[in-house]
Amino acid sequence: GENVEQHPSTLSVQEGDSAVIKCTYSDSASNYFPWYKQELGKRPQLIIDIRSNVGEKKDQRIAVTLNKTAKHFSLHITETQPEDSAVYFCAASRGSGYSTLTFGKGTMLLVSP
Amino acid sequence: DAGVIQSPRHEVTEMGQEVTLRCKPISGHDYLFWYRQTMMRGLELLIYFNNNVPIDDSGMPEDRFSAKMPNASFSTLKIQPSEPRDSAVYFCASTNQLAGAFADTQYFGPGTRLTVL
């Protein structure tokens, strides 16, 4: 089955710095890669996703890149703010008809003022 | 839309008791997933349904766990008998089958925090 590795497990940055979280996946058939943000005591919520037919996607301060050849994808957060502090999960899915997501173990991001 | 609804939000019970968690998916979604989240193991998929039919229950840890989806708007996850190691946050999520090759976003409910004493 699919295996998703996520690094780092914790990440501390100063407000205004950039943060990068990286994930690798094992199943070359995976084609959908969402990122979820989970604040303390809350549910995971989708912040951005990418499909295998594109290499990069941006949404304001958040971007995701995908390298299908190397089977890795990354989340980039620029100009970090204290409210970005949360646990971030990457996930991979083989797509429609195989809609299960395999999650990484999560990255705890702490943004200090 | 109210999103995925779960009840109860918190459950405290004693070892050996039966626990039933409930989930109402987003209307029109044809996939429903049950996850368990712990610090040690992260987010684990327990079971998922497609059109009310269980598709894969390989993540269900033991026979003490069972799940049903009697109709498109309701699912239950039951633990009987419960044990302290079942303490975790249980999430329900739902999504829609897209035409084409790609999966769609999974939307999570608020979760049920279960504590088994």
Side-chain angles (χ1 to χ4, degrees), chain A residues 56-67:
Chain A
E56 183 175 359
K57 184 176 179 180
K58 292 183 77 170
D59 183 3
Q60 299 184 331
R61 297 186 296 109
I62 295 172
V64 58
T65 58
L66 171 65
N67 183 326

Side-chain angles (χ1 to χ4, degrees), chain B residues 3-79:
Chain B
V4 177
I5 299 172
Q6 290 187 248
S7 64
R9 295 293 306 277
H10 302 274
E11 178 81 31
V12 180
T13 190
E14 293 191 343
M15 183 174 62
Q17 295 299 305
E18 177 179 295
V19 175
T20 299
L21 311 181
R22 296 174 177 80
C23 175
K24 176 179 168 55
I26 292 172
S27 177
H29 281 189
D30 52 9
Y31 282 90
L32 183 140
F33 306 82
W34 282 101
Y35 292 92
R36 178 172 68 176
Q37 186 175 39
T38 61
M39 288 294 293
M40 292 298 296
R41 301 172 70 92
L43 267 168
E44 302 175 275
L45 177 65
L46 300 178
I47 184 171
Y48 79 98
F49 297 81
N50 178 220
N51 292 321
N52 314 336
V53 176
I55 303 301
D56 185 352
D57 66 354
S58 60
M60 297 284 260
E62 298 171 38
D63 291 345
R64 299 183 296 106
F65 286 69
S66 63
K68 294 182 179 179
M69 192 166 185
N71 57 62
S73 59
F74 183 66
S75 177
T76 59
L77 178 67
K78 187 174 293 186
I79 309 173

Side-chain angles (χ1 to χ4, degrees), chain A residues 4-112:
Chain A
V4 177
E5 300 281 342
Q6 183 172 348
H7 299 280
S9 56
T10 59
L11 180 59
S12 293
V13 300
Q14 293 288 109
E15 183 176 1
D17 289 349
S18 294
V20 180
I21 302 170
K22 299 181 179 181
C23 290
T24 60
Y25 61 98
S26 60
D27 187 349
S28 57
S30 289
N31 63 7
Y32 174 65
F33 308 93
W35 286 88
Y36 285 83
K37 176 183 179 182
Q38 187 178 27
E39 297 176 351
L40 188 63
K42 301 289 183 64
R43 75 189 79 187
Q45 290 196 294
L46 180 79
I47 54 171
I48 195 168
D49 57 11
I50 191 168
R51 296 174 175 174
S52 60
N53 55 354
V54 298
E56 183 175 359
K57 184 176 179 180
K58 292 183 77 170
D59 183 3
Q60 299 184 331
R61 297 186 296 109
I62 295 172
V64 58
T65 58
L66 171 65
N67 183 326
K68 289 186 292 183
T69 303
K71 290 191 283 189
H72 67 70
F73 55 112
S74 300
L75 178 71
H76 305 253
I77 306 174
T78 59
E79 301 172 26
T80 54
Q81 301 166 5
E83 51 265 39
D84 294 330
S85 297
V87 178
Y88 291 80
F89 293 94
C90 64
S93 169
R94 294 183 69 188
S96 186
Y98 298 90
S99 290
T100 58
L101 290 174
T102 301
F103 284 88
K105 294 294 186 190
T107 297
M108 180 175 292
L109 173 64
L110 178 62
V111 181
S112 303

